[in-house]
Each structure stands twice: as structure tokens, then as C-alpha cells.
Amino acid sequence: MVKVIASSVRKGNVLEVDGHLCTVLSAESFFPGKGTPTTQIDMRRIADGVKVTQRYKTTEQVERAYVEDRDFTYLYQDGEQFVFMNPETFDQINVSSDVVGDAAPYLQENMAVTLSMFEDRAVAIEMPQRAVLEVVETEPVTKGQTASSSYKPAILSNGVRTAVPPHIGVGTRIVVMTADGSYVERAKD
């Protein structure tokens, strides 16, 4: 265990809180004009999956567990488990849907991800920033309308809803951010 200040904690870190290991889901620092700056950390306990929220002074010390980040390749989903393979040893590992969380819809076959391992157990996943997906449902393209500030709703091949520019039609492959599903650009393939 290593002591670090609360403001340096990031998503995916593993902390020890009250004797339990917790994976950080989000960490946000608040700097009010008056008063003490604080950092609010949303976590999930690894043992039982319970969500916990803690608020610390930004300079307060927290216990950070040592986790090893290893590269894996996503293979397939088996019920509630996601199967990943170590590209060096070809060992397969099952990761529960609690660990994968919001990243699940963006996982694609043979996608390279980084898993944070603690005592040979995956405790957090780091996805590539962007994924290429196909638009399966959206309003028809309006002729003569170029990219403007107005976006239209669309459903992607992974079932996620997003907003796309008016010139994007059904069947178009687009690049989206895996963090929130937002449109980046038309795919270049």
C-alpha cells in the first residue's frame, strides 16, 4: 500500500477504505471560492460490488493499493462473464460484468484493453479512447445540409444512443468516444 493525496486519485485506481479494497469509478475535485478544497471519490468495493462515495480534503492521504496493469485482448462474452486473453501467454481470464461496467457495449472482438490486476484478479478495465461503430438507425439525410451545430439522434450497432451530424446516414461507420459514446468523426475505412 502507498499513501497518496486524494486529489491525485484517478478512475481505475484501487484504494483501501476501511479495510476493503475499492476500485475508483470517478474522482472529482472541488475548489470553492471560500472554504476547503475537497475531492469526492465514487468507488465500488471489490469484495461485494457495493458502491461507496467518500469525500476527502484534497491534501488528505489515502491508501492506494498496488495494482499491475496488463494488456489483454477481448475474446467474447459468456453470460455475465467477459473472456479476455493475455496476448503473450495466451492464458484466458474471466472478468465479471461488475468490473467491465459501462464499457461493455464498446467491447469488440480482438480489441486490446488494459486490465488492472490485483492478486491475479481483474479489478478495473481501461478501454481504448475511441471505437468504430456503424449507425443502424437515424433520420434520413437532409439534402444540402452540411455539418451544423444541430445534431440528430442515432442508434449504433452496439445499441448505444448518440447524436450525429445531419449528413450521417444509416450504414455509415463512425468513430465514438468509449467514455460517453459521443460522436467524433466519420470512420476513415
Side-chain angles (χ1 to χ4, degrees), residues 116-145:
S116 298
M117 306 295 286
F118 182 80
E119 295 176 352
D120 288 330
R121 234 172 83 204
V123 294
I125 184 169
E126 189 179 314
M127 297 283 292
Q129 282 191 317
R130 299 169 177 209
V132 177
L133 296 162
E134 189 175 318
V135 175
V136 293
E137 191 180 308
T138 188
E139 296 164 11
V141 176
T142 311
K143 209 162 188 66
Q145 190 167 18

Side-chain angles (χ1 to χ4, degrees), residues 119-181:
E119 295 176 352
D120 288 330
R121 234 172 83 204
V123 294
I125 184 169
E126 189 179 314
M127 297 283 292
Q129 282 191 317
R130 299 169 177 209
V132 177
L133 296 162
E134 189 175 318
V135 175
V136 293
E137 191 180 308
T138 188
E139 296 164 11
V141 176
T142 311
K143 209 162 188 66
Q145 190 167 18
T146 57
S148 67
S149 61
S150 64
Y151 276 46
K152 62 184 181 180
I155 298 176
L156 304 175
S157 55
N158 63 354
V160 171
R161 292 178 182 274
T162 190
V164 297
H167 65 275
I168 300 291
V170 173
T172 306
R173 292 172 53 77
I174 62 170
V175 178
V176 295
M177 296 299 282
T178 55
D180 58 4

Side-chain angles (χ1 to χ4, degrees), residues 20-181:
H20 296 284
L21 286 178
C22 300
T23 304
V24 176
L25 302 174
S26 69
E28 194 174 356
S29 294
F30 299 98
F31 299 95
K34 223 175 173 181
T36 308
T38 58
T39 299
Q40 180 172 316
I41 303 174
D42 294 332
M43 301 169 276
R44 175 173 278 121
R45 281 202 304 246
I46 294 171
D48 53 13
V50 173
K51 269 187 159 180
V52 181
T53 299
Q54 293 272 1
R55 190 168 286 209
Y56 300 97
K57 292 178 186 163
T58 52
T59 55
E60 202 173 326
Q61 301 274 317
V62 293
E63 293 269 342
R64 185 167 153 201
Y66 176 73
V67 293
E68 186 181 355
D69 288 343
R70 291 193 212 145
D71 293 330
F72 281 85
T73 303
Y74 173 66
L75 296 178
Y76 59 91
Q77 184 175 356
D78 184 21
E80 289 290 306
Q81 300 283 316
F82 293 85
V83 181
F84 295 86
M85 178 184 70
N86 183 327
E88 293 160 14
T89 63
F90 302 108
D91 291 340
Q92 292 186 8
I93 178 176
N94 287 355
V95 178
S96 76
S97 56
D98 289 345
V99 174
V100 176
D102 299 340
Y106 300 101
L107 281 173
Q108 297 171 356
E109 217 172 281
N110 298 322
M111 179 182 268
V113 299
T114 303
L115 293 176
S116 298
M117 306 295 286
F118 182 80
E119 295 176 352
D120 288 330
R121 234 172 83 204
V123 294
I125 184 169
E126 189 179 314
M127 297 283 292
Q129 282 191 317
R130 299 169 177 209
V132 177
L133 296 162
E134 189 175 318
V135 175
V136 293
E137 191 180 308
T138 188
E139 296 164 11
V141 176
T142 311
K143 209 162 188 66
Q145 190 167 18
T146 57
S148 67
S149 61
S150 64
Y151 276 46
K152 62 184 181 180
I155 298 176
L156 304 175
S157 55
N158 63 354
V160 171
R161 292 178 182 274
T162 190
V164 297
H167 65 275
I168 300 291
V170 173
T172 306
R173 292 172 53 77
I174 62 170
V175 178
V176 295
M177 296 299 282
T178 55
D180 58 4

